Amino acid sequence: MKTVGYAAHSPTSGLEPYEFSRRELRGNDVAIEILYSGICHSDLHTVHGDWGEQPYPLIPGHEIIGKVIDVGPEVKKYKVGDSVGVGCMVDSCQTCDQCHNHEEQYCREGMTATYGSEDRITGEITQGGYSKHIVAREEFVLKISDKLDISKAAPILCAGITTYSPLKTWNVKKGTRVGVIGLGGLGHMAVKLASAMGAEVTVISRSTDKEKEAKAIGGKAILSSRDESALEAAASSFDLIIDTVPVKHDFDTYTPLLDIDGTHVIVGQVGEMDEPVTAPLIMGRRRIAGSLIGGIKETQEVLDFCAEHNIHPDCEVIKPEQINEAWDKLQKENPSHRYVIDMTNLKVS
Ligand SMILES: [Zn+2]
Ligand SMILES: [Zn+2]
């Protein structure tokens, strides 16, 4: 299938229109016309080569919402016209313990990422959601409820699941004391999801400037990570801290904020960090942990949770020709909303 997308041709080229083909449908494939595609901070890191060399031309995007336009003969769950999503993965081995456990993101053979990965059958490079169409096997396609606004739902597929999964892993429920570091694309979803689960959520930020924003989305309080006396007063007051900061930072400011058995979970890949001071970890059986997106079953769960609780990411919808501008802004600021590209007017020539 001939289609069009926005591709980077090198780490520094920026993104430009690029015509390419999607594969012929395999038996279990779903062909999707993409309507909306979220911009994730990791798109920038990946394309810029921050996490290793990339195959170019590369079309990023792993927060994809669209409509089914065709299905292979073995597809059971989807039919033409259905609203669907594709997130960060498009395939995995499907046979290892992690895949059987619905944790395809930890597949022992490595998951196939939505873009920049080798297709498990042909070896061709997968291309992402900044495009008009995508083809994916049905096991990696998600159902999108009618209750969701499709122009705002795309970021649930990465920002949503990335923050939902640790909230579930660490059993967040009514009354759990959750701190969220950073109020960007991930952080604002963490606040919305945790507060919908009944948690007492505090935003931890470099200042209290975003207090109004934090409270508007369900936060109970805001704590400045530069206010020594406020930090001291907040000692041992969190069960879980979700750390969404996308750049290098230290752990030591936050560890004393955890109560006994508290966990500090890193969800943004930031590369090397300074070594943490170990005493506060030992003294309170506190943990530093990591978490990567979530499995397909859990991704469906967060989509349905958002539909049920009327949770939408805060989105600014842009046109495809504004992608480079949006990337610039994302790099300079850490806006507390997601950019979503409206693909509906993108035409294949
Ligand atoms: Zn992402
Ligand atoms: Zn596997």
Side-chain angles (χ1 to χ4, degrees), residues 38-43 51 61-63 88 115 155 157-159 162 186 293 338:
I39 296 180
C40 173
H41 214 275
S42 62
D43 298 341
W51 298 340
H62 58 206
E63 295 180 337
C88 305
Y115 61 89
L157 290 152
C158 174
T162 298
L186 290 172
I293 50 173
R338 247 337 190 217

Side-chain angles (χ1 to χ4, degrees), residues 93-94 96 99 107-108:
C93 84
Q94 300 280 290
C96 75
C99 287
C107 173
R108 301 286 181 186

